[in-house]
């Protein structure tokens, strides 16, 4: 081993790589069967309007309970699903499940709750994506207006002309569109203004230290102003403290999402949150 060879860094480097590759392959293989084994579920995190403290939407976040163990992190397995192409069938399941849940909430009387669904690069660039969304809306009976699709800033800017065309198709279905992780990619403002979107999501990396770091506060404030001038709603992600909320309110941010209000939770727990807050 590396130790015996006097800490041969090349050998320990390759061992490290091998371990990483093995881990990746194990996850990919597990993910291949995750759907049929019913290991996937969606959790829902409330989005709260600052002005009236009401939940007006949720974000669906994928959870994978692997071999009966704890949840693996989507930050780890979504890239693997993306790379392997498994995101296509999994993404279809996510979209259908989220729309069915949103429809169920509409029927149950929680009739102002928007369902935001994360869309990965490969899904968004798939030639049949708009068709899939249209079919899913039709089959689940969800009013399009209650569906919001989130694409990240980097995906949106990757081929911006093509993005505009796809976003227009999607927008014509009557749903809403938002730009996720805003501020972490390279946005061209001339493209941003042409995107038919309704919302910007300020990335949580800026919100995290905005109370102590004046640069992060300045960036957050600027994104909010940018959103306002483009007539977009702005939501801040990763809000964990009352101090962050107060500052966001001062900056005139529209909505917040974060552990301060709730972690992402299973549908039944979300319903409890909705019931309590609506009394
Ligand atoms: P994202 O779309 O930006 O989602 C926000 C992430 O921040 C979620 O992590 C959420 O649990 C976490 N979060 C929310 N509030 C707080 C907070 O106050 N503090 C902190 N520290 N974190 C908070 P999660 O669920 O682990 O997902 C990570 C990323 O994985 C997502 O980032 C998204 O890019 C991707 N992802 C998750 N679910 C899906 C999905 O269904 N489809 C696709 N394509 N990607 C997904
Ligand atoms: Mg909303
Ligand atoms: Mg998101
Ligand atoms: Mg985000």
């Amino acid at each position: 081993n590396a130790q015996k060879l006097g800490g041969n860094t090349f050998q320990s480097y390759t061992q490290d790589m091998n371990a990483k590759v093995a881990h990746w392959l194990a996850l990919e293989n597990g993910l291949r069967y995750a759907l049929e084994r019913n290991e996937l579920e969606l959790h829902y995190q409330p989005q709260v309007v600052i002005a009236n403290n009401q939940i007006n939407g949720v974000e669906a976040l994928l959870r994978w309970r692997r071999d009966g163990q704890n949840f693996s992190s989507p930050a780890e397995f979504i890239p693997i699903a993306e790379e392997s192409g498994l995101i296509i069938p999994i993404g279809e399941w996510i979209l259908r499940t989220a729309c069915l849940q949103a429809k169920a909430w509409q029927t149950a009387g929680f009739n102002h709750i928007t369902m935001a669904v994360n869309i990965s690069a490969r899904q968004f660039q798939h030639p049949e994506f708009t068709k899939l969304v249209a079919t899913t809306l039709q089959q689940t009976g969800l009013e399009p207006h209650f569906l919001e699709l989130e694409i990240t800033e980097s995906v949106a800017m990757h081929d911006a002309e093509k993005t505009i065309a796809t976003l227009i198709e999607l927008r014509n279905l009557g749903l809403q569109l938002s730009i996720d992780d805003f501020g972490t990619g390279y946005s061209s403002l001339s493209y941003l203004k042409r995107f038919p979107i309704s919302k910007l999501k300020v990335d949580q990396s800026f919100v995290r230290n905005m109370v102590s770091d004046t640069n992060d506060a300045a960036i957050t404030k600027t994104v909010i102003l940018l959103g306002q001038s483009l007539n977009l709603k702005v939501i801040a992600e990763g809000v964990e403290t009352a101090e962050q909320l107060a500052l966001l309110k001062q900056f005139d941010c529209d909505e917040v999402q974060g552990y301060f209000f709730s972690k992402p939770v299973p549908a039944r727990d979300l319903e409890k949150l909705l019931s309590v807050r609506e009394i």
Side-chain angles (χ1 to χ4, degrees):
N1 62 20
Q3 203 91 49
K4 241 183 187 161
L5 296 169
N8 181 319
T9 49
F10 178 71
Q11 178 134 3
S12 56
Y13 173 76
T14 39
Q15 276 175 357
D16 192 40
M17 283 304 287
N18 286 340
K20 279 191 179 133
V21 169
H23 183 60
W24 178 286
L25 290 176
L27 283 176
E28 181 181 327
N29 196 46
L31 213 44
R32 210 169 282 288
Y33 300 99
L35 266 180
E36 58 190 71
R37 288 179 185 156
N38 272 320
E39 293 176 341
L40 299 180
E41 55 187 276
L42 293 181
H43 285 190
Y44 303 93
Q45 186 175 39
Q47 302 183 324
V48 178
V49 179
I50 296 181
N52 61 11
N53 208 32
Q54 292 287 305
I55 299 173
N56 78 339
V58 298
E59 178 177 7
L61 292 154
L62 185 61
R63 297 293 179 258
W64 177 22
R65 202 187 293 277
R66 218 181 139 213
D67 313 318
Q69 299 170 36
N70 283 341
F71 292 114
S72 312
S73 163
E76 184 179 39
F77 69 78
I78 290 283
I80 298 175
E82 178 82 8
E83 185 77 26
S84 61
L86 288 165
I87 194 66
I88 298 300
I90 291 174
E92 283 189 39
W93 178 88
I94 293 169
L95 192 63
R96 191 173 61 248
T97 305
C99 287
L100 282 171
Q101 184 60 69
K103 174 70 184 177
W105 283 334
Q106 298 296 325
T107 309
F110 302 119
N111 50 18
H112 53 276
I113 300 298
T114 300
M115 176 66 73
V117 178
N118 291 286
I119 301 301
S120 75
R122 203 143 161 181
Q123 286 175 282
F124 186 69
Q125 286 148 12
H126 194 284
E128 306 270 276
F129 181 61
T130 308
K131 210 160 133 192
L132 171 75
V133 176
T135 309
T136 307
L137 283 166
Q138 225 163 39
Q139 290 175 348
T140 59
L142 179 67
E143 277 176 64
H145 170 74
F146 291 112
L147 178 63
E148 180 177 315
L149 300 181
E150 297 189 0
I151 57 166
T152 64
E153 183 184 24
S154 10
V155 169
M157 292 295 165
H158 168 68
D159 181 350
E161 287 294 347
K162 194 136 181 271
T163 294
I164 292 171
T166 308
L167 292 181
I168 289 173
E169 279 179 23
L170 289 166
R171 188 74 188 215
N172 285 342
L173 297 178
L175 47 79
Q176 307 185 60
L177 297 160
S178 60
I179 302 293
D180 202 356
D181 302 347
F182 191 80
T184 60
Y186 302 87
S187 256
S188 150
L189 297 182
S190 53
Y191 279 123
L192 187 66
K193 75 166 186 201
R194 291 174 56 203
F195 290 164
I197 55 173
S198 45
K199 197 190 254 187
L200 290 181
K201 301 193 76 174
V202 184
D203 190 69
Q204 51 183 286
S205 60
F206 305 116
V207 175
R208 189 171 302 130
N209 299 317
M210 67 180 291
V211 174
S212 56
D213 185 325
T214 50
N215 290 327
D216 285 338
I219 291 169
T220 303
K221 189 175 178 174
T222 303
V223 172
I224 293 167
L225 283 169
L226 174 68
Q228 284 171 345
S229 26
L230 294 175
N231 242 319
L232 305 172
K233 291 255 181 272
V234 180
I235 181 167
E237 307 191 83
V239 177
E240 295 185 356
T241 69
E243 290 75 22
Q244 289 167 332
L245 177 62
L247 200 51
L248 288 161
K249 187 172 185 170
Q250 193 190 310
F251 291 166
D252 221 6
C253 188
D254 299 294
E255 296 177 20
V256 284
Q257 186 184 334
Y259 297 167
F260 182 67
F261 290 95
S262 170
K263 293 200 165 191
V265 292
R268 289 196 31 211
D269 296 339
L270 201 272
E271 284 157 26
K272 283 179 208 152
L273 277 177
L274 290 175
S275 311
V276 169
R277 293 176 78 95
E278 265 160 39
I279 292 170

